[in-house]
Amino acid sequence: MREACDATARGFEAVVADLPEAVRRGRGERWVEGVFGLHARHAGNGVGYDSICASGDHANTLHWIKNTGDVKDGDLILVDAGVEVDSLFTADVTRTLPVNGTYSPAQREVYEAVLAAQEAGLAAAKPGAKFSDVHAATIRVIAERLHGWRLLPDGVDVEATLDPENGQFHRRWMVHGTSHHLGLDVHDCALARKEDYMDAELKPGMIITIEPGLYFKADDELVPDRFRGVGVRIEDDILITEDGNENLSASLPRDPDDDRDVFLEVKAGEGGEESALFAGDLARMYLRYAERVGWRTEIVDASPSDLGGYKDVRIAVSATGTPGPGEAPWARLKFEAGVHRVQRVPVTESQGRIHT
Ligand code: GLY
Ligand code: MN
Ligand code: MN
């Protein structure tokens, strides 16, 4: 599962780096699907399930796998994808990213509500808790936010909507459960009895997803204009441990205010000329993205030759500056000359990674 999550993270990084190309080509959702699929197929057996590449309002169609839409500047794109490694275990990760690197204030408002819900779910995911406790924790935050936005019907407060019999008004906007077991199947053991699944205790070694979302369709007249067409899901793969949990997909940033230093290193492996060529292409891909979103870019170390030479390309990236309102984590990356800290990481074959 660790391998599956790591390979999935690399697939997402490749998707983010190539978003400008997805915008430029039209039918960009297919481009995104293809880029992730290439990495899935190269790193493992393939995708663990049909990738959901849903830009703009498509994010509000729960299993949007047609992926026929454009990817547009100003939209969010929801990517729900996982690499199934050769052992046949699969990851299942969702990130909802602003295509141009910056959340609009309304997009950020929705994103932060979903993130807060996910944090509540993470806090609840520990041994001894019931599987359903995780959903109860996330959905309470979702209900609170919806209530705060005055979206629940008049007279319905948080407790009233959480009432299982007479409430559930929030389900219009969060239309799925928060978690499922994950492993050999993306919805592992989905046919297990209720007492062994929903009502069962979480135990160390189990892996579940935590994936709250909020979905405001473009034609939903119950929500304010600013929210229409905004759909957000954040999904991580969580190992239950003896004393809590470990987020196996944590290497992919989730928090727009996350100001950890980030380094990108692209380095050719031992694969000779072919591997050096691949590293060079990957480095260029990241640079194209950086330039497109207006970062100052500089190759701080590309030894022994330069990018044109396709040899042992290494780019160190550090995050600097104060995030602007609505900025995505990667929007704060600055390619800097003379970085103050360079983290050397072992890179086996030709691989690009963003290390946080
Ligand atoms: N990708 C399917 C799911 O998140 O459950
Ligand atoms: Mn899932
Ligand atoms: Mn998923």
Side-chain angles (χ1 to χ4, degrees):
M1 286 301 295
R2 288 185 197 285
E3 278 171 25
C5 288
D6 289 348
T8 298
R10 289 199 289 278
F12 270 80
E13 288 159 7
V15 163
V16 169
D18 217 31
L19 275 179
E21 199 58 14
V23 173
R24 191 185 71 77
R25 283 178 182 265
R27 219 164 130 98
E29 292 176 345
R30 285 283 169 101
W31 191 257
V32 167
E33 179 187 338
V35 169
F36 189 86
L38 166 68
H39 283 260
R41 193 76 182 130
H42 184 246
N45 192 45
V47 290
Y49 54 91
D50 289 330
S51 301
I52 298 167
C53 307
S55 194
D57 194 41
H58 286 161
N60 296 312
T61 299
L62 205 50
H63 282 106
W64 176 259
I65 56 171
K66 285 188 190 171
N67 302 340
T68 46
D70 292 336
V71 173
K72 295 200 205 89
D73 194 338
D75 278 352
L76 296 178
I77 182 167
L78 181 158
V79 181
D80 181 342
V83 174
E84 179 181 278
V85 285
D86 290 338
S87 60
L88 305 183
F89 284 87
T90 188
D92 177 11
V93 174
T94 306
R95 289 291 180 269
T96 308
L97 323 164
V99 171
N100 63 18
T102 305
Y103 294 95
S104 73
Q107 289 167 347
R108 186 176 171 111
E109 225 179 318
V110 178
Y111 188 91
E112 286 184 340
V114 176
L115 186 62
Q118 199 200 26
E119 291 296 343
L122 283 163
K126 51 190 178 207
K130 276 194 347 190
F131 178 88
S132 56
D133 290 344
V134 179
H135 179 67
T138 65
I139 209 67
R140 174 169 289 280
V141 175
I142 294 286
E144 286 167 357
R145 298 292 171 125
L146 290 169
H147 188 245
W149 290 323
R150 307 173 76 86
L151 296 186
L152 299 177
D154 282 348
V156 174
D157 62 13
V158 172
E159 299 309 325
T161 195
L162 291 176
D163 183 312
E165 301 298 324
N166 302 309
Q168 304 295 303
F169 298 94
H170 53 271
R171 291 181 66 166
R172 178 183 177 101
W173 299 292
M174 176 164 162
V175 287
H176 54 76
T178 298
S179 298
H180 54 79
H181 284 270
L182 180 68
L184 283 172
D185 198 355
V186 62
H187 291 169
D188 219 30
C189 308
L191 297 179
R193 287 186 300 257
K194 191 161 181 281
E195 59 267 33
D196 296 327
Y197 203 112
M198 292 301 289
D199 293 342
E201 272 187 14
L202 295 174
K203 297 205 176 88
M206 287 179 169
I207 296 177
I208 62 168
T209 66
I210 300 187
E211 49 175 310
L214 272 171
Y215 308 94
F216 297 125
K217 284 188 186 293
D219 60 357
D220 187 340
E221 297 189 355
L222 287 189
V223 303
D225 271 352
R226 71 182 192 284
F227 287 164
R228 291 186 196 167
V230 176
V232 173
R233 179 166 63 255
I234 310 171
E235 175 173 28
D236 283 271
D237 299 345
I238 308 302
L239 169 68
I240 305 299
T241 59
E242 296 293 338
D243 55 0
N245 67 60
E246 178 187 345
N247 182 350
L248 301 181
S249 42
S251 71
L252 284 170
R254 293 178 293 137
D255 181 351
D257 291 322
D258 187 342
D259 59 359
R260 289 176 298 183
D261 283 353
V262 179
F263 302 98
L264 163 66
E265 184 172 71
V266 182
K267 192 173 183 304
E270 301 305 311
E273 193 182 346
E274 199 181 324
S275 131
L277 275 169
F278 183 76
D281 284 348
L282 205 55
R284 280 189 217 265
M285 204 165 77
Y286 282 109
L287 286 173
R288 272 207 309 275
Y289 178 70
E291 277 157 17
R292 158 99 188 349
V293 298
W295 303 339
R296 186 166 62 83
T297 65
E298 200 145 357
I299 300 160
V300 296
D301 186 359
S303 58
S305 96
D306 59 14
L307 275 181
Y310 294 121
K311 190 85 172 39
D312 195 14
V313 179
R314 205 173 331 115
I315 304 171
V317 185
S318 92
T320 56
T322 313
E327 266 190 350
W330 51 91
R332 268 177 287 127
L333 306 188
K334 299 272 190 292
F335 287 69
E336 274 204 327
V339 292
H340 52 277
R341 187 155 68 90
V342 179
Q343 183 178 318
R344 295 299 306 269
V345 289
V347 179
T348 48
E349 297 298 327
S350 323
Q351 285 173 349
R353 289 160 172 265
I354 294 177
H355 295 274
T356 58

